Amino acid sequence: MSECLDLVWEDTGTSQELDPLPSIAGSPIKGIDPQTPIYTSRIVLTTYPGQAGVNPIPMNWGHPNPSVRGPIVASRIASSLKLRNATGAHGGAYSIYRALAIAIRELDANHVPNLHNTEPVVDIGPHPAWGDPEKIVSMDPWGHAVKDVFAKELKEGIDIRPTIAITKAHMKLMEVEDLVKRGKLTVDGKIVVNAQGDLMVTKGAVEPVWYLPGMAKRFHVDETTLRRTLFEDTGGMYPELITRPDLKIFLPPIGGLSIYIMGPPEYLSDPTKKLTLRVHDECNGSDVFGSDICTCRPYLIYGIEEGVKTAQEGGVGLIVYFRKEGRALGEVTKYLVYNARKRAEGGDTAAAYFLRTENIAGVKDMRFQATMPDVLHWLGIKKIDKMISMSNMKYDAIVGSGIPILERVPIPAEMLPPDSQVEIDAKIASGYFSYNQAPQDLETTKGRTWDDINH
């Protein structure tokens, strides 16, 4: 017979404090009896403000002093459980794998990261936007510096985790090697380090951290509606979105972003230096596997090429890569759309390009670029000299956030993959930036069939 579980909705003012989490804390994970309970039989489904055992660390989002702003604490280990000031879990979409690792006894639920030698390889900020509660609402501007700015709290045993990491790397791409061989990029030993086209870059990874009042304002909804929708349409994953209005921080289980910097990172915040930017949304089929139905990998490569050139000319290049696969609709939806396009009566036409997506997903795009500029403000960017993008939504979001863009650059025609003209013409017709006009009759732009290898 299975163990009986006590399901408890903690009531406001109850005298019963929260239980520390795992009952196997401190036990060796390897070799442990798999039948040994990880938790007690009592399940706390949610908490409420003011109940016994709930004492969140104050959070003053947007304060320029990190000590006054306060650390973000989402950990549920015993030393931090009662101090949590955030809903959600660290790791973004990977938080689910962490839970799985605990369930199969590969990870101690009370494990705390050893942050020795993990500090960023370059200094980022602080910048003025870090002290503005409305400029950055989707990431923690101090997320890379917790080891230093919250050293006191860490020493006290509070589990505060970085949400940003910054390192260095060599990047090798066959297209960049080809650009070097053709003389379009030169070897300088610093950025393009050799004849194989290896690039020296500074790169960073950012996990999402949402300040809910700021997110609601950014998207022009009230905070209560935002919280309710996040609760309802994730199957009730985080009840504290509803029961804990005092917790203003949410760590959502979604993908984050990466940055790749070519040239000195400090130039990003120096308006006297030229900056070339490519903001790119994930496309696994093209970026990784080279699918020719869209322009994603060629445009990404072009952004890298132009960023390298700007860096070699004394400026800096930046690639921001968001995990928003399939316009944030997901890869399954994207492939369903591909099938609908290729099987459509009359063929795969630019006229029906967005309609096919709306028929399946109900919306043509869920990337919603309103929070995209946050990372640019975090980096201290004041202007963009050259933006490698056709997207009007990205342009409007960046300029609307107060960062001017001096030049927009579409993908060169010679870089278009064989089956991507449907996408390009549909986007130009809908308002995307281009040097060219879309055909008046979008029905004339047709993609190839699956079996048409000579298209």
Side-chain angles (χ1 to χ4, degrees), residues 57-330:
I57 292 175
M59 169 55 58
N60 300 294
W61 187 267
H63 198 287
N65 184 332
S67 298
V68 178
R69 201 289 301 265
I72 291 173
V73 181
S75 173
R76 300 184 65 85
I77 70 169
S79 64
S80 303
L81 179 62
K82 301 175 183 180
L83 303 176
R84 289 185 309 118
N85 58 11
T87 302
H90 285 286
Y94 298 101
S95 61
I96 306 302
Y97 288 104
R98 181 180 183 277
L100 178 60
I102 293 170
I104 63 175
R105 274 66 169 186
E106 289 291 331
L107 175 65
D108 187 337
N110 271 349
H111 172 75
V112 176
N114 182 343
L115 299 179
H116 179 63
N117 281 340
T118 61
E119 58 270 12
V121 297
V122 296
D123 293 328
I124 301 290
H127 296 294
W130 297 18
D132 185 335
E134 296 187 0
K135 280 293 185 186
I136 301 175
V137 300
S138 62
M139 58 182 289
D140 178 10
W142 300 99
H144 61 305
V146 298
K147 180 175 177 288
D148 296 323
V149 298
F150 300 121
K152 174 178 173 293
E153 291 85 350
L154 287 167
K155 190 173 182 180
E156 293 171 353
I158 302 174
D159 184 12
I160 307 167
R161 305 195 179 194
T163 56
I164 302 173
I166 306 169
T167 187
K168 289 183 178 180
H170 281 187
M171 188 164 67
K172 188 175 184 64
L173 295 163
M174 63 180 183
E175 292 94 337
V176 175
E177 181 177 4
D178 182 63
L179 289 169
V180 172
K181 288 180 179 179
R182 291 192 288 132
K184 297 192 71 175
L185 287 178
T186 60
V187 177
D188 56 41
K190 294 181 179 179
I191 299 167
V192 182
V193 297
N194 55 35
Q196 289 71 48
D198 291 1
L199 303 178
M200 174 63 77
V201 298
T202 303
K203 64 179 184 178
V206 180
E207 292 179 0
V209 176
W210 288 5
Y211 175 58
L212 291 172
M215 290 290 292
K217 186 171 183 178
R218 191 73 65 87
F219 286 99
H220 307 290
V221 300
D222 62 272
E223 186 183 341
T224 300
T225 298
L226 177 61
R227 286 174 174 269
R228 179 68 182 271
T229 306
L230 290 171
F231 171 73
E232 295 283 358
D233 286 280
T234 59
M237 182 177 284
Y238 292 107
E240 285 178 327
L241 286 167
I242 303 299
T243 65
R244 293 295 303 275
D246 60 316
L247 300 183
K248 301 297 185 181
I249 307 300
F250 177 46
L251 278 58
I254 61 174
L257 65 90
S258 302
I259 59 172
Y260 287 81
I261 305 168
M262 292 146 281
E266 62 270 21
Y267 284 7
L268 291 168
S269 58
D270 184 348
T272 69
K273 305 296 184 182
K274 287 188 175 182
L275 166 61
T276 291
L277 168 70
R278 168 70 182 165
V279 176
H280 192 91
D281 296 318
E282 179 182 26
C283 176
N284 182 61
S286 177
D287 296 343
V288 178
F289 293 101
S291 172
D292 72 348
I293 198 172
C294 64
T295 62
C296 294
R297 182 179 175 95
Y299 222 158
L300 177 60
I301 295 298
Y302 185 55
I304 293 170
E305 176 187 353
E306 291 299 305
V308 169
K309 288 178 179 177
T310 300
Q312 290 184 324
E313 293 168 357
V316 62
L318 173 65
I319 303 294
V320 182
Y321 192 95
F322 281 89
R323 298 309 192 281
K324 295 179 179 179
E325 174 64 60
R327 301 193 204 122
L329 301 169

